[in-house]
Amino acid sequence: MNNYVLFLITLFCWSPTWYLIKFQLGYVDPLVSVFYRFLIAAIIFFIYLLIKKQNLKFSINNHIWFLFFGTCLYSINYVFFYLSNTYLISAFPAIVFSTVVIMNILGETFYFKKKPSLKTLIGALIGTFCASTGNMVHQRNLNNNFPALQTIAYAMLYGSIVTLLITQVRGAELLFEYSFSYITSLLYLSIFGSIFAFVSYLKLLEKVGPGRAGYVGVVMPVLALIISTIFEKLEWQIDLIVGLPILIIGAVLVINQKIKSN
């Protein structure tokens, strides 16, 4: 698939998710909603793989990497993003998520021993390390010829199980809300915000590398802020007006520095 198509699918599937997470908060514990989201996505994935008669048998070592990948990308980071959404307007976690593009470059340095410039290192100090680690684990898995779809399917399954364990440690009840808004937002988050978005993003990551794929994280906060402005009546105060361009410019500089170094 064309890189621009992958970019647009990822962008437009992910951008509304930060607002839709708001409909997952309330009666159901936020972490239980994370569990439902990735469990549903994993089930759909496995149904598709079974229909296509894809291999689902892997070694213990592979499953350990599936677990690591899923814990990083489909559990821990979303636990924090959902919890943050209970206190913040939806676009702000999206802005924080955009720093993953910077952390991807730090992650490449840490995991694959690629030495960046000083400017890249300074920029990479800001971010969400867990999601970036997930990206790097996926890159490592691809380098070791792990099949992409099966990897994502098992990772989402394991990520949902890890989140379920976290909910039990927190003492959260496994409740479900039968409202139209909860069910439709959950289905969007599971199908478009998880399956289509992650398959497209990780395919883009595979084809163009973490640097160029990171442009998704540069554009996404802008769309998320527009959504928040329309639906949540976000007021653009001076700190947001000044801070957002600085974040975007910083991310672009780091990405461009990485691309040039390649």
Side-chain angles (χ1 to χ4, degrees):
M1 189 178 292
N2 184 282
N3 293 342
Y4 291 107
V5 174
L6 291 172
F7 177 87
L8 291 173
I9 292 173
T10 305
L11 184 64
F12 286 106
C13 284
W14 253 341
S15 295
T17 60
W18 306 99
Y19 174 64
L20 292 175
I21 286 172
K22 288 292 185 183
F23 296 98
Q24 301 288 288
L25 310 175
Y27 178 69
V28 180
D29 185 273
L31 305 196
V32 173
S33 292
V34 176
F35 163 64
Y36 291 151
R37 172 178 176 173
F38 288 107
L39 179 63
I40 292 170
I43 290 171
I44 294 172
F45 251 122
F46 279 111
I47 291 172
Y48 171 81
L49 292 171
L50 287 170
I51 291 172
K52 291 293 185 179
K53 298 181 179 179
Q54 297 295 307
N55 174 47
L56 295 175
K57 295 180 180 180
F58 297 94
S59 68
I60 296 296
N61 180 65
N62 286 356
H63 279 280
I64 290 172
W65 283 104
F66 295 157
L67 173 62
F68 188 24
F69 177 40
T71 300
C72 292
L73 203 57
Y74 304 126
S75 179
I76 302 300
N77 66 313
Y78 272 95
V79 164
F80 285 104
F81 282 130
Y82 270 61
L83 290 175
S84 68
N85 247 318
T86 62
Y87 303 103
L88 300 171
I89 198 165
S90 65
F92 291 160
I95 294 172
V96 174
F97 181 81
S98 72
T99 61
V100 169
V101 306
I102 301 174
M103 292 302 293
N104 280 350
I105 294 163
L106 180 62
E108 271 201 315
T109 302
F110 184 79
Y111 294 107
F112 301 118
K113 310 303 180 185
K114 294 185 179 181
K115 186 176 180 180
S117 69
L118 179 62
K119 181 166 64 174
T120 303
L121 270 178
I122 294 172
L125 292 175
I126 305 171
T128 49
F129 189 66
C130 193
S132 176
T133 298
N135 290 336
M136 296 308 108
V137 173
H138 179 69
Q139 192 69 51
R140 178 264 171 204
N141 291 343
L142 289 175
N143 292 345
N144 285 271
N145 298 316
F146 282 35
L149 293 184
Q150 290 94 319
T151 298
I152 297 172
Y154 274 112
M156 286 186 173
L157 176 61
Y158 289 141
S160 68
I161 293 171
V162 170
T163 304
L164 176 62
L165 293 175
I166 295 172
T167 66
Q168 297 311 292
V169 171
R170 294 179 74 240
E173 293 185 73
L174 290 179
L175 303 174
F176 192 84
E177 184 176 335
Y178 292 95
S179 67
F180 178 80
S181 61
Y182 184 84
I183 293 173
T184 53
S185 59
L186 177 60
L187 289 175
Y188 181 94
L189 291 167
S190 299
I191 298 170
F192 295 98
S194 298
I195 296 174
F196 286 104
F198 274 106
V199 168
S200 299
Y201 174 70
L202 293 173
K203 185 65 177 177
L204 191 65
L205 189 76
E206 175 188 349
K207 293 178 71 174
V208 303
R212 289 183 175 89
Y215 279 110
V216 171
V218 176
V219 181
M220 183 176 62
V222 178
L223 294 182
L225 283 167
I226 292 171
I227 292 170
S228 284
T229 302
I230 295 171
F231 294 103
E232 298 179 277
K233 309 302 180 186
L234 172 65
E235 296 181 6
W236 287 66
Q237 299 178 352
I238 187 66
D239 52 351
L240 179 58
I241 294 171
V242 173
L244 181 63
I246 292 174
L247 173 64
I248 292 173
I249 292 169
V252 170
L253 286 174
V254 172
I255 290 170
N256 284 341
Q257 181 70 22
K258 174 61 185 175
I259 291 171
K260 289 176 182 177
S261 68
N262 289 338

